[in-house]
Amino acid sequence: MDTFIFIFLAVLTIGSGLGMVLNRNTVNSALFLVLNMVSIAGIYLLLQAQFLALIQILVYAGAIMVLFLFVIMLLNLDDERSLFSKVRAKYISAFFLGVVTLSLILYSLEGVADLLPEISPEMETAGTVEALGDVLYTDYLFAFEMTAILLTAAVVGALMIAQYKKSNNGASE
Amino acid sequence: MNYLLDLQSFLPGIIVAVAGLAAIMLEAFKKSANTSFSVTIGGIAVALLFAIQSLYGEAGTAFSGMIVYGGVGAFGSVVVLLGALFCVTISREYLRDLDLHNGEVYGMILFSTTGMLGLAVSNDLITLFISLETMSICLYVLAGLMKNEKIGAESALKYFLLGAFSTGFLLYGIALIYGATAATNLTEIAAAAQPTFLFLCGTGLLFVGLFFKVAAVPFHMWTPDVYQGTPTTITAFMATAAKSATFVAFVLVLTRMLPSSEIGDWQSVLQVVAILTMIVGNLIALAQDNVKRMLAYSSIAHAGYLMVGLAAGNEAGYAGVLYYLFAYTIMNAGAFGVIAYYERNHGLDFTEIDSYAGLGFKVPVMGVMLSVFLFSLAGIPPMVGFIGKYYVFAAAVQAGLIPLAIIGVLASAASVYYYLRVMVYLYFKEAHKEYSLKTPGFLFKWTLILLAVLTVYYGVEPVLPTSSLMELISSYYTV
């Protein structure tokens, strides 16, 4: 059963990824990306990484994608009619049926039975918040602190680029 | 685990990061870019002193094996900080003329330097990735500083998109290596590695990511446009400090993660890339009429010479690479500095080679210095560039890679043409019209003079003999 769920999620991930890249409509692309992120979260769950799966949904599928959609809507890249008229029930159902069929075919092929590694008891505890926090502030402290600098730099840099008016500090001195 | 000792081992990086935060805060509250500038210079200088001090200390690992200190990492930190220091000191006048002289710019330079310092000491693929990203994201922003100019926007966008793409390769490589060996620590990977398909793919993708960052052919496409569209002193920062940091990380990966040839014949890969990079870089540079683009292709060619040292794969080769990075930082920062000086008198389009006609006699000291730096880049003795090339090619010969060394020497001989061409324009062409050049500022002028003196001095007397550099490297195999 695990193997089938894995194959289903893998096909869904790749399919939605392709759908996102190949789609001409930006809103549809963004929705495909949401689907992509949700299915990746499912794969994390299969690997017993509950915390990662939750964060994936909350941060990526939730916060970031909502932001994406807002930006797309605000920028008004397409007019409203073309934004929604292309999404038809038959395309959606065709996509999902295709995914299900393809994953069934792949599952029925030989040699996929032992595709997934055994979930060891270690892995079950490694995915929890406690375990993550434990290594994050000890073994991976350096990477953690460097990430802090990275994020600060990213925020300051984004503001520098987005700033409309040129700074006139140089002239005032 | 003693965190104080860990912190001490990364002291230069911490000082630079704190200085970066201070520069941004001072800009916000004091509205004085000059204060930020002083903090930047002071922070980098203090960090440089600590880095030089750690050069003579012992080597080891810190932060649970995430970083190394002493040895190669310390030398890399010194080179990175030297590059950052020189680029910042020549930046103030230039950025002021562009109306870009503000605290955030210096903050970004400092954050980027923090990333480079992390990159130069990384002993873990996670450290390598995070540091590389810290460095790159700041560089993307710095590349887009001239956002009101068309070429500025093009440069930033091109750098960002291609950079993000190459980061994908790098990260996927790291993931595959982790899948193959269940480790991210470089020495643990070396212990667990088998030449499986998964491992070879992972390492190949990791190499692609690094090749992109050092602008090796065929991953060099972004370089000329990005270098051209970036403010010239920042280009100097990208070409010297960023390249040095990535090459030091490359040396660390090769010596610590792939010490034996049993896990893939990476030296041959490096040879092919080195040959391609030297030939393509030099050939295209021959055809450039814009001095900044010419220097961009020349920086690609120099990445090729550095690859020769990596391909040699012996201690002499790695020591040669380190020395070359030092030499390249000095002479390239100087060359970009003089170009920035000419450019800021007349605006951005003043980098076409035609406009250099007769400039050599205008402000004689600048013309002479540009000649010194270009001679050194061409590898003509007695400049530091010659010594660097000699070490690298000698290591290749020592490793039995005679054809590689011959191609390198030939490519380097071809490069003399385009470096000397600039000098021909400087001294032997009549000016089309009269230009007036501003007198260079005190700090700007003396930084360049110091760089020129260093270029000649280290060419005559290599104070860092390769033997002591080789000791640094060999201390690394044992840690």
Side-chain angles (χ1 to χ4, degrees), chain B residues 274-275 277-279 281-283 286 298 301-302 304-305 308 324 374-381 385-386 388-390 393 404-420:
Chain B
I275 291 173
T277 310
M278 286 189 294
I279 292 177
N282 279 313
L283 275 187
L286 290 177
S298 115
H302 282 277
Y305 307 140
V308 172
Y324 201 115
L374 291 178
F375 269 128
S376 181
L377 282 169
I380 294 171
F386 168 73
K389 267 181 196 161
Y390 169 75
F393 292 144
L404 189 62
I406 290 175
I407 294 175
V409 171
L410 286 180
S412 149
S415 76
V416 174
Y417 168 77
Y418 58 81
Y419 290 124
L420 287 186

Side-chain angles (χ1 to χ4, degrees), chain A residues 6-152:
Chain A
F6 170 72
I7 289 176
F8 175 74
L9 287 172
V11 172
L12 191 61
T13 309
I14 294 171
S16 54
L18 283 176
M20 184 216 139
V21 175
L22 298 176
N23 215 308
R24 287 177 149 266
N25 187 309
T26 35
V27 173
N28 287 357
S29 273
L31 291 174
F32 267 122
L33 192 55
V34 174
L35 192 60
N36 184 282
M37 301 210 167
V38 171
S39 46
I40 287 177
I43 294 179
Y44 287 151
L45 263 186
L46 268 185
L47 293 170
Q48 303 284 334
Q50 301 96 336
F51 179 67
L52 206 55
L54 266 180
I55 290 295
Q56 170 84 7
I57 300 265
L58 278 179
V59 175
Y60 283 98
I64 291 181
M65 283 318 300
V66 169
L67 213 62
F68 253 46
L69 281 172
F70 263 124
V71 171
I72 292 169
M73 306 264 185
L74 283 177
L75 284 181
N76 202 13
L77 291 177
D78 300 327
D79 60 283
E80 229 171 276
R81 205 184 309 138
S82 72
L83 273 184
F84 296 104
S85 62
K86 282 180 189 163
V87 191
R88 292 204 195 112
K90 84 175 172 194
Y91 288 134
I92 298 174
S93 46
F95 178 76
F96 279 101
L97 279 177
V99 167
V100 171
T101 321
L102 187 59
S103 44
L104 276 173
I105 293 171
L106 286 177
Y107 182 61
S108 60
L109 290 176
E110 281 191 30
V112 294
D114 49 12
L115 201 65
L116 276 185
E118 288 292 312
I119 304 283
S120 62
E122 260 176 61
M123 274 174 83
E124 277 171 31
T125 53
T128 57
V129 188
E130 292 90 346
L132 270 181
D134 201 26
V135 290
L136 199 58
Y137 290 95
T138 53
D139 290 353
Y140 296 99
L141 182 67
F142 184 85
F144 182 74
E145 297 296 341
M146 191 58 100
T147 314
I149 297 289
L150 171 69
L151 292 177
T152 314

